[in-house]
């Protein structure tokens, strides 16, 4: 059984164990140092990329409007996307959940007698645990994104949606290569480490039976799949193997091709502080007659996996605006101290806390929605203005209370409900709305401070209950209004 750097067994990571996993992460000074340096760097990069506040506001306003418009038309746009993709020669598949998505990919692989899949970066493939499921069928899945490749070699999991190996420093990467790659000479030179990884992966692209990628934007108007990347591995995965499978969540569809540039600008600047990434791939069909490269088949797998639940609720639908930039993580005081593994979910940090309940249910993720200071940093930097703090408060409420009339229930609703807590809050509400009872309670608590633990003594010595007012607040207001009239 493999271990991560924070001492928590990777296979045991789960949102139900969040508190223990967070404690383990906080107890690891090297992990915290790695994240602190990386987060400071990314925060500075974003700040520089959005140096003009007027321009930043314009881009965020436009990006939010585009995402909300597209989501308001989501069912129709998905049908339009399917039609235009099929007209272009792309085969479209629909998956209700992870099991169906894996079954679809397995069937495609078996139809081609595939034994190896080379993958570009895809968080949705992590979401469905594709590597694990394909391994059961004897199909090897090799990660070609450098960060994903590093964590795969180490038996680890990604800790960030943009930079999977951000929890490792140069020495730890070198140690991973030394342990897993033959004839590797240890080094902490970043260029040498990257070149080592690329040289080992080069032949894999040629030998793979299938290439798999994610999708950043799926354009309904043209049936085009857009892929954002910096390393070129995404382009290799989608052009060298004879079969390309793209997998994405249903929320990634946009209406027009002209919707892509503003979202692209918001994504790259928010994620890594870049004006533009090194590669931007637009895939609209398999290889055509006369073309020298490209796959003979292209498949698109559209995954629901809880997204429809979020879509049905007008407030929670805003969750689906996310363009997966990771800015909320980079600025979150919780994430920057404990990292991604502590959450035990594919999507960690603030955005993960509002996405995961729809995918996994509140019974598994109820602790995550309370793992926030509600400082608002995530909402302030979100390029599509998802009100994450407000949505966390909504999920906290749903975790403890039954659905309200006319509002769709969330999977696992009331998972954190407590009869004792409910009774206590009702009692407090009653006392707070009856001044005489409230003041009697605080007076009694003051008299009983001697029963408090000794270590709380200094705190209680300078605190006494306020004297009961001779009149209630309601009566005082009433008297004041009468005086004003007279």
């Amino acid at each position: 059984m493999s271990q991560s750097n924070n001492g928590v067994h990777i296979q045991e990571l789960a949102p139900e164990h969040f508190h223990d996993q967070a404690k383990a992460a906080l107890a690891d000074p090297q992990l915290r140092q790695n994240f602190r340096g990386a987060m400071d760097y990314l925060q500075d990069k974003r700040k520089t990329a959005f140096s003009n506040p007027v321009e930043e506001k314009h881009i965020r306003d436009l990006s939010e409007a585009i995402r909300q418009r597209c989501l308001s038309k989501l069912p129709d746009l998905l049908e339009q996307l399917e039609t235009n993709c099929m007209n272009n020669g792309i085969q479209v598949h629909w998956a209700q959940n992870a099991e169906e998505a894996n079954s679809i990919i397995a069937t495609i692989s078996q139809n081609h007698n595939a034994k190896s899949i080379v993958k570009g970066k895809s968080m949705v493939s992590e979401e469905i645990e594709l590597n694990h499921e394909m391994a059961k069928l004897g199909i090897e899945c090799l990660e070609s994104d450098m960060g994903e490749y590093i964590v795969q070699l180490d038996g680890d999991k990604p800790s960030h949606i943009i930079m999977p190996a951000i929890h490792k420093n140069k020495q730890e990467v070198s140690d991973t290569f030394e342990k897993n790659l033959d004839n590797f000479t240890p080094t902490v030179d970043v260029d040498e480490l990257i070149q080592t990884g690329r040289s080992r992966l080069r032949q894999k692209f040629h030998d793979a039976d299938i290439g798999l990628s994610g999708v950043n934007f799926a354009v309904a108007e043209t049936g085009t799949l857009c892929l954002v990347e910096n390393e070129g591995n995404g382009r290799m995965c989608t052009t060298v193997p004879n079969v390309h499978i793209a997998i994405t969540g249903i929320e990634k569809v946009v209406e027009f091709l002209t919707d892509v540039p503003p979202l692209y600008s918001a994504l790259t600047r928010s994620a890594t502080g870049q004006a533009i990434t090194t590669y931007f791939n637009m895939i609209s069909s398999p290889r055509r007659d006369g073309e020298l490269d490209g796959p003979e088949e292209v498949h698109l797998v559209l995954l629901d996996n809880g997204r429809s639940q979020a879509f049905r609720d007008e407030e929670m639908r805003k969750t689906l605006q996310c363009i997966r930039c990771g800015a909320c993580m980079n600025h979150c005081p919780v994430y920057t101290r404990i990292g991604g593994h502590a959450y035990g979910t594919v999507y960690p940090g603030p955005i993960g806390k509002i996405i995961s309940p729809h995918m996994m249910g509140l019974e598994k993720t109820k602790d995550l929605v309370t793992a926030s200071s509600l400082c608002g940093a995530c909402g302030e930097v979100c390029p599509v203005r998802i009100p994450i703090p407000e949505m966390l408060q909504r999920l906290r409420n749903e975790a403890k209370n039954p659905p309200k009339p006319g509002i769709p229930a969330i999977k696992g609703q009331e998972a954190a409900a407590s009869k004792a807590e409910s009774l206590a809050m009702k009692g407090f509400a009653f006392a707070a709305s009856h001044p005489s009872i409230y003041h009697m309670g605080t007076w009694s608590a003051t008299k009983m401070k001697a029963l408090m633990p000794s270590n709380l003594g200094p705190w209680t010595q300078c605190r006494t209950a306020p004297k009961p007012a001779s009149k209630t607040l309601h009566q005082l207001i009433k008297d004041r209004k009468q005086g004003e009239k007279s």
Side-chain angles (χ1 to χ4, degrees), residues 426-446:
K426 287 180 180 178
F428 176 78
F430 179 81
S433 60
H434 295 76
S436 59
I437 296 176
Y438 180 81
H439 287 298
M440 179 60 70
T442 55
W443 178 83
S444 300
T446 302

Side-chain angles (χ1 to χ4, degrees), residues 407-456:
I407 298 179
I410 294 177
K411 183 180 179 182
Q413 186 132 4
E414 293 187 86
S418 167
K419 291 183 179 179
E421 181 179 342
S422 177
L423 184 62
M425 292 306 295
K426 287 180 180 178
F428 176 78
F430 179 81
S433 60
H434 295 76
S436 59
I437 296 176
Y438 180 81
H439 287 298
M440 179 60 70
T442 55
W443 178 83
S444 300
T446 302
K447 296 302 180 183
M448 292 188 292
K449 66 181 181 181
L451 301 177
M452 297 292 288
S454 59
N455 60 344
L456 293 180

Side-chain angles (χ1 to χ4, degrees), residues 113-423:
N113 297 315
K115 296 299 179 183
S116 63
I117 297 175
V118 64
K119 296 173 56 188
K121 193 170 184 307
S122 167
M123 291 307 296
V124 175
S125 72
E126 293 284 347
E127 180 183 330
I128 66 174
E129 297 187 333
L130 177 70
N131 296 7
H132 178 71
E133 295 301 317
M134 293 303 104
K136 293 179 182 178
L137 303 175
I139 302 172
E140 177 195 27
C141 288
L142 178 68
E143 302 287 352
S144 65
D145 173 89
M146 190 56 58
E148 294 274 4
Y149 178 63
I150 292 167
V151 297
Q152 185 180 38
L153 283 178
D154 213 23
D156 205 343
K157 289 187 177 182
S159 61
H160 194 286
I161 61 175
I162 298 298
M163 293 147 285
I166 198 169
H167 56 288
K168 296 180 181 292
N169 60 29
K170 293 180 290 185
Q171 183 60 58
E172 289 165 335
V173 173
S174 178
D175 294 342
T176 295
F177 281 1
E178 183 179 12
K179 180 180 177 181
N180 294 281
L181 301 180
D182 296 332
N183 303 317
F184 171 73
T185 302
T187 179
V188 292
D189 183 274
V190 174
D191 289 337
E192 289 187 28
L193 290 171
I194 296 299
Q195 289 304 319
T196 296
R198 287 179 175 171
S199 65
R200 303 302 174 102
L201 287 168
R202 179 65 59 174
Q203 188 63 32
K204 298 292 185 179
F205 294 112
H206 179 271
D207 296 339
D209 301 304
I210 291 175
L212 186 138
S213 75
V215 177
N216 290 98
F217 312 108
V219 185
E221 177 186 30
T222 58
T224 301
L225 310 179
C226 301
L227 185 61
V228 179
E229 54 148 338
N230 273 316
E231 300 175 16
N233 63 299
R235 182 161 294 182
M236 297 286 281
C237 290
T238 59
T239 57
V240 178
N242 284 330
V243 179
H244 169 214
I245 302 174
I247 182 169
T248 186
I250 57 174
E251 79 279 15
K252 291 296 185 69
V253 64
V254 297
E255 187 172 8
F256 305 117
L257 195 59
T258 52
D259 290 333
V260 173
L263 294 175
Y264 182 34
S265 178
L267 170 62
T268 57
R269 291 205 261 185
S270 298
T272 55
Q274 294 174 270
I276 190 171
T277 49
T278 308
Y279 297 90
F280 183 76
N281 307 289
M282 301 176 69
I283 302 162
S284 295
S285 71
R287 182 193 308 180
R288 295 190 176 98
D289 293 340
E291 293 181 339
L292 299 179
D293 62 5
E296 296 175 358
E297 287 184 21
V298 177
H299 297 261
L300 172 62
V301 181
L302 293 166
L303 177 66
D304 187 329
N305 204 32
R307 290 164 173 84
S308 289
Q309 174 182 268
F311 176 79
R312 286 193 296 268
D313 187 308
E314 189 172 347
E315 181 181 9
M316 299 311 298
R317 184 181 300 173
K318 296 176 183 178
T319 304
L320 303 180
Q321 292 174 202
C322 179
I323 56 175
R324 303 294 192 271
C325 68
C328 61
M329 302 178 191
N330 303 341
H331 293 76
C332 174
V334 177
Y335 177 90
T336 55
R337 284 159 179 78
I338 64 175
H341 287 156
Y343 294 84
T345 54
V346 172
Y347 304 102
I351 190 61
K353 286 181 283 191
I354 64 174
I355 287 178
S356 300
H358 298 287
M359 298 176 177
M360 307 175 71
L362 279 167
E363 63 269 25
K364 292 184 178 180
T365 59
K366 60 182 182 293
D367 289 335
L368 299 186
V369 299
T370 61
S372 171
S373 65
L374 299 179
C375 66
C378 51
E380 290 177 7
V381 298
C382 177
V384 290
R385 298 191 188 281
I386 301 174
I388 298 177
E390 289 85 349
M391 299 179 81
L392 283 172
Q393 292 182 71
R394 162 78 187 278
L395 287 167
R396 291 179 183 186
N397 184 66
E398 305 292 9
K400 292 181 177 292
N401 298 292
K404 295 180 180 178
I407 298 179
I410 294 177
K411 183 180 179 182
Q413 186 132 4
E414 293 187 86
S418 167
K419 291 183 179 179
E421 181 179 342
S422 177
L423 184 62

Side-chain angles (χ1 to χ4, degrees), residues 477-486:
I477 294 174
K478 185 177 179 180
D479 291 349
R480 180 179 177 182
K481 288 182 177 179
Q482 289 179 343
E484 290 175 349
K485 290 180 180 179
S486 63

